[in-house]
Each structure stands twice: as structure tokens, then as C-alpha cells.
Amino acid sequence: MLKAFPLKLELRGAPSQTMTYLSPLLAIVLTMILGALLFLLLGKDPVAALKVFLIDPFSGKRAISELLLKSVPLILCALGLTVCFRASIWNIGAEGQFTVGALCAGAMLVWLDVPGHGISGTVGLILMICAGVLGGAFWASITALLRDRFNANEILVSLMLTYVAQLLLMYAVNGPLKDPNGMNFPQSKVFSDEFMLPMLIAGTRLHVGFVVTIVAALIMTVFVTRSLRGFSLTVGGVAPHAARYAGFSSRNALWMSLLISGGFAGLAGAFEIAGPIGQLLPSVSPGYGFAAIIVAFIGRLHPIGAVFGGLIMSLLYLGGELAQSRLGLPSAITGVFQGMLLFLLLACDTLIDYRLRWKQQA
Amino acid sequence: MGISRRASIAMLATLAAASLIGCGKKEEAAPAPAPAAAAAPAPAKADPLKVAFVYVGPVGDAGWTFAHDAGRKEVDAKFGDKVKTTFIENVPESAADAERVFRQLATDGNKLIFGTSFGYMEAMLKVAKEFPDVKFEHATGYKTADNMAQYDVRTYEGAYLAGVVAGKMSKSGKLGVVGSVPIPEVIRNIDAFTLGARSINPKATTRVVWVNKWFDPGKEREAATTLIGQGVDVLMQNTDSAAVVQTAQEKGVYAIGWDSDMTSFGPKAHLAASMNKWGVYYTARVQAVLDGSWKTGFSWNGLKENGIDLGAFNAAVPDDVKALVETRKKGIADGSAPIWKGPIKDNTGKEVVAKDAVANDDFLHGIKFYVEGVDGKVPG
Amino acid sequence: MEQLASLIAASINSGTPLLLAAIGLLINERAGVLNLGAEGMMLVSAIAGFAVGYTTHSALLGFAAGAICGMLLSTLFAWLALLLATNQVATGLALSIFGAGLSAFVGQHFVGLALAAQSSGIPLLRDLPFVGPALFSQHWMSYLALLLCAAVAWFLYRTRAGLILRAVGESPESAHALGYSVHGIRFMALLFGGACCGLAGAYLSLVYTPMWVEGLVSGRGWIALALTAFATWRPARVLLGSLLFGSVTILQFYLQGIGVTIPSQILSMLPYVATIVVLALISRNPDWIRLNMPASLGKPFRPGAS
């Protein structure tokens, strides 16, 4: 099959500058073409459908604020995963780390948000954020410990721990953290306004967490590209023998990348709880930790790339929602469309390192 | 390193793409006039009432959401051109998305919005405050506002009647419930089921196994299998798929269908089904908005209002059992034979409803105990 | 006694789809390809299997349809990850998302339809006391899964082809230098993996809970992926892992049913915790791990690149 294919890939001498610009554009154009075909087959006006999917989420201040808001947990988790994946530590459990971070942050707020406790909102917020970061980092440290001491593969451990984390949250909102005045529903009390994150733009839900996210991306860029620590992580991932020879400890790399990754996911969880959700519920994430894995790769494992990857994913989610309410498309189409765009983004990236050539007949 | 240079170029590229797309900001003008026009009481001849439904799961779950969507279709069928319904499915319970969805629907001109999961409650409250001329309806929660009502169906009545049938048809006296998530409604249903069964067989016992999900056919099957292995011969469920009925059929025991008629999944096993009829409520509320008579409140439809029914009886169910069920239905509907009439003890022996007292709705909302006959401790 | 037999049987049942998918994924990963799209493949195969099985009344055709769909999706994956050298982790995840959407979309017309239960059990053997109901009353797919596991083990360790496959996984450059088509072999591995995931998906919708609902697979693809890592890429351990997971899943329901007063959410954690604990115990020997993880797993092979 592969031999019959008329085109072949030829390695370029150096990565193509133009293609680095063009590749995402090419992917978007191809998605639009394939998407238009898909919508035609479904009996919808392709132009209208594409507009709803790709343009409507940008229409207006409110819409853009929602777009940015949705990208915050995606970007934060992806930033942490970028560090991990560069070091070839396959942390698939960001979802669990997010959940535990949210749980710890929520627990802290449940403890603090009692009238007469005397803690100010700002102090409370800071404590809550610390709780979230530490919670996420702690959860990731279990994976690190098991890999370090027992050689247990981190893919398995981090994934299993995700399910454990979700069940832990369910247990907590059904029991110890349940709102005593909540008619016995499994959820915590709604947190008071003073403990909620301040808004960035009044009248929207976009909170200061967005700024923190961007700052974090910038700091992480410096860390990854300029610091020795960051460099050692990357080398450890790409050429482990060379890394060992240079004295970079793989054990340090393991712990550092998992703790950072867990901390970021936990921070994202804390932001969700003190932001758009405002309480603890039996489920606090619609899969951010998993989506962040794709975001990290679309971002080509670079922190700034993660920001853009997060925005793209956010666009796809919101577009899909609008497609349901404005076009009557089933939610299943969102998944198909998302998958398609992701395939094309990944495929077009190949053209950076390779060029397509017609095969010479031998 | 090559990566950072590539990435920064990539960033510029995507920025370029985004700004091209962002030229759609001009669209800002478009959505604004549209809701304004729809907000004016429709003097235009055929401006249909826009009604929206927000679902927590997929319509393809053949259970909870499927039943709600069936109700929505009834609205479509009854009102035709006067109403335009839309729905959004798979809006997660984690609420952050729900708020955005409600706001978007309200901005897009929907005048009546239904949210079918208790997790949406706070989100809906927030949005309801911002859109005072839009009516919101929340299912299975407890907070209301001037423009936000609560609604639910008395699923426990179906559970009670199911218990009556189970009590009659069980040979071992051991009953089982495959529970979804331990929320008050499910505890109430387990209790009602047991009360119904014990009204026939005072020695009947109920075991409960929790799947901790609303629906997962594989796990429901596994839960049902273990219950059957422990001697249970009539199963009830509060989960949303037909897996329990199927498992019962395979192992040769009985089961009660839930949310909808599940006979086709277990012709011999399926004794009867407790069926939610959301259409009755939905059509009534749409009519109220069209008439201008919509008011907030708590609606809890039961047998009396035709919000729920136990039907689809198996041929194996003897006529006298069917007749008994009909009698009990009447008794519940007209109040002459209420389910929650004392004396009722919880399973630690404490009396929770005194002799001849009848529990009211507030009591029912706050149930935190298992009645006598249910094995185990109430979760949470 | 009867209860124990039924618990054993239920555990085997529960572990069968995991075993089927994991053994296919094991071949993938032994060849050095990491296909995280297992969940998506299983979903599409589940609906394909159900749709075909329902319309033709033939479970066999349904299984075939499932296997074919699995192979088609892994061909898509191969085209991207092998031919175009895209990142395997991201491609696999994209495949999962795509598969979930596609299956839900196609499945809309099949919701609420019922399929008759399949016959099960080996005649004569199933009537034996205790072992009959415990071991010999499964659907034939469970026994096929067992045979597959054995066949894969034999293939990997006793045949030349298996050796070549392992070589491709350990050192694709060397295999290439020896004249073997790395991409060709990886493609075959992916096809096999796709077929196995396809059978697993079809098993769920045709035998385990004969119905289609959106999201039927409910995470089993991910569990299967985790199990191949748990098994340190050895077929015998895949069997152990899937049985372990299946039996602890049943066990926690059993404990709930007999009224153990531990909260159900904590009990539900047991299968996952048990898998972690067992993995930690058997992985203690670092040499075993290094010997078993295919060295090139996840890295694209670029003929001509250094």
C-alpha cells in the first residue's frame, strides 16, 4: 500500500521557515474544505455551518471572553504537560491532577468560607491557590514515586490515578464536603463572592487567572529555552544517554517534570473552582486534562505554542456548541470536526520537516 | 534551538489566521438586533416561540436524556409552527459550560429554557438574573427565582408500584437495586421500592449496589450480575441503560424497566416499566408561556398528573397483580392510600413517620435514611 | 459455591474485551507504535458490529464488521503516523476524539434497539459441577481471546516473524539496515491491533450488553492501553492484567452487595488501586523493565534521517 502511493516524503535539509508559518493556515483551509463537504452531506449550508463553527465564537466581547476563559484550564494543563513530554515522561493523568487540585482548593474554601473566620478574601484566595497547586503536585508525586522506587510505568499509574481522583471527589462531595444546607445534594456550598477570583473584564466571566496563565507561559518559555534546568529536561527526553553522560539526573528530571505538571494542573483546577464553577461538584472537568495533551502537541511542545493550541481547542468546543444551538447539528459532529482539524494540523506540520515529491519510476 | 524559532513563527502564523477570522468581529452588530426583535412580544404574525432544552447526556442514551427529548418532540408535535425547539446535548454537569450555554441560548432569542440536570442549578440562577424576560426551568433541583421554576417527576411513585410487583413476583424475597449516584432522589426511590415490596411481603429485603455513574451499560451489567449471584431475583435500577434488564433476561430473573419501556431488551425478564412522561409538563409549560400565564414554582408531577406511569406489563404478571397495581395507583393519585403513611421505620429501627401520619413533600425532599428492609448504610 | 462460580464467570466476562484490545495493542507497541486511539476504534467497531449484527442477524458478520472497521481506522492512523510521521501520541488522541464523534453520529439510528442474547458455553463441559458454570460458560469470543493471547505469545517468541517484529520495535534503524520494511511491518502490526480492538468493541455491543448507546465503551480502550503497560508488553501478563482488573471490578460490586460499610466510591477505586499495586510489586526489578519496553515506542521512524 505504501509503495503504491505516488508521492513520497523527502527530508528537507533544514526545517522550512515558510511551512512553519503556513502549516496551521493550510490545516485550517483543508478543514474548511472537508468540513464544508461534511456539512453538505448532512444537508446544511456549508458556508453558514463553517461560519458558526469558526467565526461566531469570536463575535462580540462576551463571546471572546468566553473563548479565553475556556482556554485557561487547557493552556495551564498543557504548559505542565509540555515540560513532561519534553522529558519523555508520559503523564496521561493531568485530568486526575486537575481534579485533586480542584478538590484541595475547594476543601480549603469550605474551611475558610465561614462567617466570622476573619480571613480576608485575598488571603483566602492565595491560600486556596496554594492548596490547589500543592494538591495537584502531590497527586503527580505519587506517579513519580512509583516510577522512581518501583519502576512502575507512568502511563498506567497516572491514568489509573485519574479514576481514583474522580471517585475521591465524588466521595468528598457526597460526604465530608457536602453543603449542610444543600438539601442533601452532593455538592459543596456555593463560595462567597469575596473568595472568588476577581474579574479581568467587568461583566464577563473572564477572571485574572487568564493573566496568570499568559505570564506562566512566558516564564515557562524562558525556563525551557534558556535555563539549564529546562535544557537538561529536554535533553533527557531526546537523548537520555547523552543526558546521563552530561550529569543530568534522570531522577531529578522525573520528579521535576511531574511536580511541575501536577502543580499546573492543580492550579487550573483551583481556578475553575474559584472561577466559573464557584463550588465543588461531583465532576469538575469535562476532560481538560486529556484535551491538554493534544494542546501540548499542537503547540509543538513549546509553551507559547500551548497558548495557541489552547485557543484553537477552545474555539472548537465553543463552535461545536453553537453549531448545536444555531444549526441543529448533533453534538457528535463536534467530535468529528475536532478530530478532522487535529488530524490535519498534525499532518500539515510534517511539511515543515519534509517536502512532498513525486516518486521517480525506477 | 530550532524549536523556539519554529514555534515563534508558528505563533505569528496562527495569529495571522486568527486575525483574519477575527474580522468576524463585525458580527457583533448582528446578534444584537435579533434578540431585541424577538424580545418584543411577538406582534409579527408567525414568529414562533423559541424553546431550548439543555441535556447533560446524549439523546442516544436511551434513558434519561432520551426521555426528555421524547417530551420535547411532543412539544413539537403539539404546537407545530407556533414553537421552534432546539436542544444542546452533552453539556457537562461541571457547570462552567452550562452557564455559557444558558446565556448563549437566552441571547439567541430563546424565551423558555429547560435544563435537565441538577448540576445546572447555580449556573441557571445566575443567567436567570440577567435575562428577566426569559423563563427558565430547572429539573431535580431546589432553588427558584421569579423567572426560574423547578420541576421534577415523582419517580418514587413508579418505584413504589414497581416494588409492589416485585413483592408479588419474587420467590426469594431478595430484591436488588442498581443505583447510579447517591443523590436524595435515588435514596427516595430505593425506599419507595422497598415500601412497595414490603406492603406485599413484610420480609422482603433490598440490596443496593452503586455504579457511581448515571449510565455505563457494562458496569450496570456487572452490578446486576453480582446482585443476582447473591440471590436477588427481582432487580430495579436507577441507572439509564437497559443493561440490567438484559442481564436479568440472561440469568433468568426479573427486572423493572426504568425511564422507558425496556421490554425489547428482556421479554421474559421485564416485569413492568416505570416510565417518565416529561411531555405532559413540557407541553403545559409551553402553553403557559404562549398564554402569558407562566409562573414560577415547584412542580412535582406524579401519577395524578400523568407525569409517570408503571406499565408495559409482562404476560407472566398475573391479572390480580395488575389489578392490585391499578388500585394502588388510584389510591396514590387521589390521596386515599399514600405511600408515605406511617408507621415507617428506618433500617436502624428508629421511627421516622409516626403511625397514621402522612409525610409531606418537604419531608420527602429531605430523606436521608434507608427504610427498614434495605441492607446497608445510606451513603454520605 | 454457586456464587463463587458466578463471580469467576463474571470476572472472565468482564476481562474479555480488555484482553482482546490489549493483546492487539501489545503487538502495536512491540513494533514500536503507540496508538492511543484504542477507545475511538473500539467505539466505531462497536456500532459497526451492532449495526451489521442487527440487520443481518449474524453475530459473526457483526464481529467481522467490527474487525474491519478497526483495521480501517488504524489504516488512517498508519497513514498519518507512519507515512506522514506525525506525532503518535497526538494522532492517537485525535483518533479517539474522531472515533467517539463518528460512532455517536452513525449510531443515532440504532439507539434503543435490542439484539437477542448470544448463546454461550462449551457443550458438555459447561455441565460439569462448579468448573462448568465458572469456566466453561463463556461466549466463544472469550475462548478466542485466550487463544489469541497464546498465539501472540507463540508468535512473538517462537517465530522468526515475531523476532523481526520485536527487532523493529527495539531498533528500527538496524532492522531497516537489514533490509526489512519498517513501515510495512508496523503497518501490519497496526492492522492486527485495529482488528483486535475491533473485535473487542464488537464484543461489547454484541455480547456483553447487546445494544448501542453513545459512549458504550466507557473508557475500556484506555484501560486496555494501561494494561499493556502494566503487562510490560508480555502477553501472559496481559492475560493476568485483564483478569485482575475484571475480577476486582466484580469484587467491589460484590462487597457493596453484601453490605460492607465502606463508601461505594472508595470501593469503586479498588480495580484501579489494585492494578497500580500489583504493577508496583512486579516492576520492582529494573532490569525487567528495561528489557521489556520497546525502545522505539512512540518515536516515528524516518528512513534516511539519523
Side-chain angles (χ1 to χ4, degrees):
Chain A
M1 176 214 90
L2 294 170
K3 293 222 160 48
F5 196 65
L7 294 166
K8 71 166 181 181
L9 285 177
E10 191 183 81
L11 189 62
R12 296 186 202 263
S16 152
Q17 301 278 46
T18 357
M19 275 322 291
T20 331
Y21 278 106
L22 277 191
S23 138
L25 286 177
L26 183 60
I28 292 174
V29 168
L30 283 173
T31 308
M32 282 166 58
I33 296 175
L34 281 178
L37 271 168
L38 177 67
F39 297 132
L40 261 176
L41 283 171
L42 291 171
K44 305 279 174 188
D45 173 5
V47 176
L50 283 174
K51 171 182 162 298
V52 164
F53 243 110
L54 298 174
I55 297 187
D56 279 1
F58 286 99
S59 49
K61 179 175 92 166
R62 190 79 208 212
I64 295 186
S65 75
E66 289 290 337
L67 189 72
L68 296 177
L69 176 67
K70 182 100 183 170
S71 71
V72 168
L74 291 168
I75 297 174
L76 278 176
C77 288
L79 285 174
L81 290 176
T82 298
V83 174
C84 256
F85 293 159
R86 275 176 165 244
S88 285
I89 309 277
W90 302 109
N91 176 12
I92 308 288
E95 180 82 355
Q97 291 139 25
F98 178 99
T99 304
V100 173
L103 177 59
C104 291
M108 174 66 76
L109 280 182
V110 167
W111 184 56
L112 289 176
D113 191 3
V114 169
H117 217 124
I119 311 266
S120 81
T122 324
V123 174
L125 269 178
I126 295 180
L127 284 174
M128 171 214 71
I129 289 177
C130 289
V133 172
L134 288 173
F138 164 71
W139 205 244
S141 75
I142 302 179
T143 304
L145 180 72
L146 287 172
R147 161 105 187 233
D148 189 15
R149 287 291 145 87
F150 295 92
N151 290 302
N153 181 279
E154 70 273 16
I155 297 180
L156 171 75
V157 177
S158 60
L159 184 62
M160 295 284 125
L161 283 176
T162 301
Y163 293 104
V164 176
Q166 288 167 338
L167 287 164
L168 203 58
L169 174 64
M170 270 192 241
Y171 166 72
V173 295
N174 262 293
L177 295 178
K178 194 194 302 199
D179 181 2
N181 301 318
M183 303 293 285
N184 225 19
F185 275 83
Q187 50 192 40
S188 77
K189 61 185 283 196
V190 179
F191 301 128
S192 323
D193 282 341
E194 54 167 336
F195 290 111
M196 303 291 282
L197 288 166
M199 291 299 132
L200 204 55
I201 305 178
T204 69
R205 297 198 298 160
L206 187 62
H207 53 74
V208 296
F210 181 71
V211 173
V212 173
T213 306
I214 300 298
V215 169
L218 292 169
I219 296 179
M220 167 107 16
T221 309
V222 171
F223 171 72
V224 157
T225 55
R226 304 234 187 272
S227 78
L228 183 61
R229 266 278 149 86
F231 182 66
S232 73
L233 282 177
T234 311
V235 173
V238 170
H241 295 296
R244 255 198 302 277
Y245 192 70
F248 297 147
S249 152
S250 67
R251 169 180 259 173
N252 277 351
L254 172 72
W255 280 94
M256 191 160 47
S257 40
L258 276 169
L259 285 176
I260 291 178
S261 181
F264 269 91
L267 178 65
F271 280 163
E272 275 300 276
I273 292 301
I277 302 184
Q279 62 180 147
L280 274 180
L281 295 173
S283 160
V284 291
S285 164
Y288 289 132
F290 291 114
I293 300 177
I294 304 194
V295 170
F297 280 108
I298 299 180
R300 300 173 188 161
L301 291 188
H302 188 285
I304 301 295
V307 174
F308 284 92
L311 289 170
I312 292 178
M313 273 313 251
S314 185
L315 173 68
L316 285 174
Y317 282 130
L318 267 52
E321 234 169 52
L322 289 172
Q324 287 188 69
S325 69
R326 292 190 179 163
L327 295 171
L329 280 172
S331 85
I333 288 304
T334 313
V336 173
F337 200 73
Q338 265 183 357
M340 234 167 40
L341 176 60
L342 294 167
F343 283 146
L344 288 167
L345 273 170
L346 291 167
C348 290
D349 266 9
T350 310
L351 295 171
I352 296 174
D353 284 329
Y354 293 84
R355 60 170 70 89
L356 279 174
R357 276 264 128 85
W358 292 103
K359 275 194 194 155
Q360 316 291 57
Q361 298 306 325
Chain B
M1 260 182 109
I3 298 174
S4 67
R5 202 172 31 155
R6 263 198 269 157
S8 56
I9 293 166
M11 128 192 166
L12 286 169
T14 327
L15 191 64
S19 55
L20 270 174
I21 291 170
C23 283
K25 264 196 203 178
K26 294 187 193 109
E27 303 299 329
E28 194 170 346
K45 234 165 298 185
D47 237 10
L49 174 70
K50 289 178 79 172
V51 181
F53 292 79
V54 180
Y55 300 144
V56 69
V59 170
D61 72 358
W64 174 260
T65 300
F66 185 75
H68 281 282
D69 203 53
R72 179 190 67 85
K73 290 194 178 128
E74 275 181 53
V75 170
D76 271 344
K78 176 156 180 199
F79 293 102
D81 282 340
K82 283 194 264 176
V83 159
K84 179 170 177 324
T85 64
T86 28
F87 65 89
I88 303 195
E89 44 180 355
N90 286 322
V91 177
E93 240 179 354
S94 40
D97 297 300
E99 193 180 319
R100 177 185 63 244
V101 169
F102 290 135
R103 198 173 279 116
Q104 191 68 57
L105 290 169
T107 323
D108 278 356
N110 290 285
K111 287 293 159 197
L112 179 59
I113 301 179
F114 292 94
T116 60
S117 164
F118 84 90
Y120 296 158
M121 191 167 65
E122 298 295 335
M124 199 181 246
L125 264 176
K126 275 192 219 153
V127 179
K129 263 195 223 128
E130 293 170 26
F131 292 88
D133 60 334
V134 175
K135 318 275 182 259
F136 292 86
E137 302 254 4
H138 181 247
T140 73
Y142 59 91
K143 288 192 188 165
T144 57
D146 281 341
N147 62 337
M148 175 169 149
Q150 284 288 340
Y151 69 101
D152 199 356
V153 146
R154 294 184 194 259
T155 44
Y156 67 83
E157 290 182 354
Y160 175 82
L161 293 170
V164 169
V165 177
K168 278 277 182 190
M169 304 296 289
S170 165
K171 293 194 189 63
S172 67
K174 285 199 183 140
L175 310 171
V177 177
V178 175
S180 47
V181 174
I183 62 168
E185 166 154 354
V186 180
I187 310 273
R188 197 165 47 231
N189 290 343
I190 294 171
D191 285 345
F193 178 68
T194 311
L195 285 175
R198 287 194 136 210
S199 73
I200 307 290
N201 172 3
K203 295 225 196 68
T205 58
T206 306
R207 292 172 187 229
V208 184
V209 170
W210 298 98
V211 175
N212 280 311
K213 274 182 132 171
W214 286 105
F215 126 125
D216 182 338
K219 284 223 167 67
E220 293 174 49
R221 176 204 162 91
E222 285 152 9
T225 310
T226 34
L227 282 171
I228 294 171
Q230 290 172 359
V232 165
D233 65 354
V234 182
L235 287 162
M236 196 187 71
Q237 64 185 83
N238 249 223
T239 47
D240 286 340
S241 86
V244 175
V245 173
Q246 272 184 333
T247 314
Q249 168 90 2
E250 195 185 303
K251 310 272 182 201
V253 298
Y254 289 130
I256 306 284
W258 191 253
D259 287 340
S260 54
D261 179 1
M262 294 178 168
T263 309
S264 55
F265 291 92
K268 286 216 196 87
H270 185 274
L271 284 177
S274 167
M275 301 176 279
N276 295 342
K277 295 172 185 278
W278 299 104
V280 172
Y281 183 74
Y282 289 151
T283 44
R285 293 308 256 172
V286 170
Q287 187 66 61
V289 174
L290 287 171
D291 294 338
S293 63
W294 190 97
K295 270 208 291 276
T296 184
F298 285 90
S299 164
W300 210 1
N301 279 351
L303 285 165
K304 190 161 108 191
E305 302 86 357
N306 200 19
I308 189 159
D309 196 16
L310 188 82
F313 288 101
N314 193 316
V317 177
D319 287 335
D320 61 309
V321 176
K322 285 191 212 157
L324 177 62
V325 170
E326 291 305 315
T327 321
R328 295 282 173 104
K329 270 191 212 173
K330 281 205 199 71
I332 295 169
D334 64 25
S336 60
I339 297 172
W340 306 94
K341 181 167 169 188
I344 298 181
K345 285 204 198 119
D346 73 11
N347 69 351
T348 65
K350 190 174 100 182
E351 189 176 79
V352 287
V353 180
K355 185 166 179 347
D356 290 339
V358 177
N360 61 11
D361 278 358
D362 280 339
F363 176 88
L364 294 180
H365 274 122
I367 290 186
K368 271 194 241 209
F369 56 86
Y370 277 151
V371 295
E372 206 176 12
V374 182
D375 282 344
K377 213 172 75 138
V378 175
Chain C
M1 257 309 148
E2 203 183 284
Q3 252 195 65
L4 184 58
S6 102
L7 287 176
I8 294 177
S11 305
I12 297 177
N13 248 333
S14 176
T16 299
L18 298 174
L19 177 60
L20 277 169
I23 206 75
L25 293 167
L26 178 127
I27 288 286
N28 278 350
E29 292 174 21
R30 271 310 186 106
V33 193
L34 182 62
N35 184 355
L36 292 183
E39 181 84 0
M41 290 197 291
M42 280 173 78
L43 279 167
V44 175
S45 313
I47 181 58
F50 183 80
V52 170
Y54 184 82
T55 32
T56 64
H57 301 288
S58 161
L60 205 54
L61 285 178
F63 278 114
I68 292 174
C69 280
M71 291 198 280
L72 284 173
L73 282 177
S74 35
T75 305
L76 173 62
F77 179 87
W79 195 71
L80 286 161
L82 295 183
L83 197 62
L84 295 180
T86 58
N87 177 277
Q88 288 176 16
V89 173
T91 311
L93 280 168
L95 182 62
S96 274
I97 295 178
F98 181 74
L102 185 63
S103 64
F105 181 64
V106 169
Q108 285 171 95
H109 307 290
F110 291 94
V111 171
L113 298 177
L115 207 55
Q118 300 289 311
S119 67
S120 58
I122 304 179
L124 286 184
L125 284 174
R126 68 173 159 215
D127 295 320
L128 291 171
F130 187 70
V131 285
L135 299 174
F136 297 116
S137 307
Q138 306 296 325
H139 184 263
W140 56 264
M141 190 47 82
S142 299
Y143 304 115
L144 183 66
L146 202 57
L147 281 171
L148 256 178
C149 186
V152 164
W154 175 80
F155 168 78
L156 279 177
Y157 298 115
R158 304 271 167 165
T159 67
R160 189 146 181 278
L163 181 62
I164 297 170
L165 185 94
R166 283 188 286 140
V168 166
E170 294 300 332
S171 172
E173 296 82 15
S174 317
H176 180 74
L178 285 169
Y180 295 111
S181 161
V182 169
H183 279 164
I185 291 172
R186 284 184 169 174
F187 180 59
M188 307 259 52
L190 279 170
L191 281 181
F192 179 76
C196 286
C197 286
L199 288 177
Y203 177 80
L204 285 173
S205 66
L206 288 170
V207 178
Y208 203 55
T209 49
M211 65 171 80
W212 166 257
V213 281
E214 205 176 297
L216 181 70
V217 174
S218 204
R220 285 181 181 76
W222 297 108
I223 305 287
L225 276 164
L227 285 177
T228 49
F230 167 89
T232 56
W233 298 275
R234 294 157 67 152
R237 288 195 182 171
V238 167
L239 181 61
L240 169 70
S242 36
L243 281 178
L244 173 70
F245 198 83
S247 49
V248 181
T249 304
I250 298 294
L251 179 69
Q252 68 97 353
F253 281 127
Y254 175 79
L255 289 174
Q256 284 193 50
I258 59 172
V260 164
T261 51
I262 302 175
S264 72
Q265 298 94 351
I266 308 289
L267 283 176
S268 297
M269 291 180 195
L270 276 179
Y272 310 107
V273 173
T275 318
I276 294 176
V277 168
V278 174
L279 176 67
L281 290 174
I282 65 180
S283 308
R284 265 170 316 163
N285 187 334
D287 293 319
W288 285 14
I289 292 296
R290 270 207 293 282
L291 278 178
N292 282 296
M293 172 152 172
S296 74
L297 187 60
K299 305 190 178 105
F301 174 65
R302 303 172 183 192
S306 57

XYZ file of all heavy atoms in Angstrom, chain C residues 13 26 31 55 69 88 94 114 116 120 162 183 185 245 249 267 272 305:
129
model
N -15.801 -12.699 31.949
C -16.605 -11.879 31.036
C -16.119 -10.453 30.970
O -15.983 -9.867 29.918
C -18.024 -11.809 31.612
C -18.978 -12.542 30.745
O -18.752 -12.669 29.568
N -20.037 -13.031 31.341
N -0.712 -4.640 22.246
C 0.612 -5.141 22.570
C 1.438 -5.355 21.307
O 2.616 -4.993 21.251
C 0.485 -6.456 23.356
C 1.793 -7.119 23.724
C 1.834 -7.390 25.199
C 1.976 -8.414 22.979
N 5.947 -3.395 18.063
C 6.553 -2.933 16.810
C 6.992 -1.485 16.925
O 7.523 -0.921 15.979
C 5.550 -3.091 15.667
N -28.816 -5.950 11.561
C -29.501 -6.038 10.273
C -29.355 -7.408 9.630
O -30.228 -7.832 8.888
C -28.994 -4.970 9.282
O -27.622 -4.716 9.557
C -29.752 -3.668 9.444
N -13.692 -2.424 10.617
C -13.664 -1.002 10.978
C -12.433 -0.656 11.790
O -11.823 0.399 11.600
C -14.912 -0.631 11.790
S -16.305 -0.375 10.743
N 2.829 10.418 17.307
C 1.904 9.307 17.521
C 0.928 9.551 18.654
O -0.240 9.185 18.566
C 2.695 8.031 17.812
C 3.391 7.525 16.568
C 4.268 6.324 16.848
O 4.137 5.687 17.885
N 5.157 6.031 15.925
N -6.273 12.213 18.749
C -7.204 12.776 17.769
C -8.111 11.678 17.229
O -9.307 11.892 17.005
C -6.439 13.452 16.639
N -32.799 -3.651 20.341
C -32.293 -4.765 21.138
C -31.886 -5.915 20.247
O -32.469 -6.149 19.203
C -33.369 -5.221 22.116
N -30.927 -10.119 20.324
C -31.099 -11.298 21.166
C -29.771 -11.696 21.781
O -28.716 -11.509 21.182
C -31.645 -12.448 20.320
N -24.042 -19.232 24.812
C -22.693 -19.268 25.377
C -22.420 -20.629 25.988
O -23.337 -21.398 26.272
C -22.554 -18.180 26.433
O -23.514 -18.360 27.437
N 7.994 -13.002 14.446
C 7.863 -12.308 15.719
C 9.161 -11.644 16.139
O 9.171 -10.537 16.678
N 8.234 0.396 7.974
C 6.856 0.888 7.858
C 5.896 -0.238 7.509
O 4.780 -0.289 8.018
C 6.781 1.993 6.806
C 7.229 3.313 7.344
N 7.553 4.370 6.537
C 7.420 3.742 8.611
C 7.927 5.404 7.279
N 7.853 5.042 8.529
N 6.119 -3.412 8.236
C 5.869 -4.270 9.404
C 5.019 -3.545 10.432
O 4.085 -4.110 11.016
C 7.217 -4.708 10.019
C 7.899 -5.674 9.051
C 7.019 -5.342 11.376
C 9.300 -6.025 9.422
N -8.086 -6.985 36.593
C -8.980 -5.838 36.540
C -10.438 -6.286 36.542
O -11.267 -5.753 37.281
C -8.687 -5.003 35.289
C -9.232 -3.626 35.376
C -8.530 -2.634 36.026
C -10.468 -3.321 34.831
C -9.035 -1.354 36.120
C -10.988 -2.045 34.926
C -10.263 -1.070 35.577
N -13.113 -5.588 39.645
C -14.339 -4.847 39.349
C -15.561 -5.574 39.888
O -16.426 -4.982 40.521
C -14.499 -4.673 37.831
O -13.350 -4.038 37.307
C -15.721 -3.852 37.500
N -14.906 1.889 47.381
C -14.851 0.532 46.853
C -14.631 0.544 45.349
O -13.907 -0.293 44.813
C -16.144 -0.224 47.189
C -16.257 -0.727 48.619
C -17.618 -1.361 48.850
C -15.170 -1.734 48.933
N -8.675 0.056 40.197
C -7.563 0.901 39.763
C -6.400 0.811 40.737
O -5.235 0.690 40.335
C -8.038 2.355 39.644
C -9.291 2.470 38.832
C -10.519 2.748 39.439
C -9.280 2.261 37.457
C -11.678 2.828 38.695
C -10.439 2.338 36.717
C -11.638 2.623 37.337
O -12.788 2.687 36.611
N 16.779 9.614 7.894
C 17.157 10.576 8.934
C 18.088 9.873 9.908
O 18.025 8.672 10.072
C 15.920 11.076 9.658
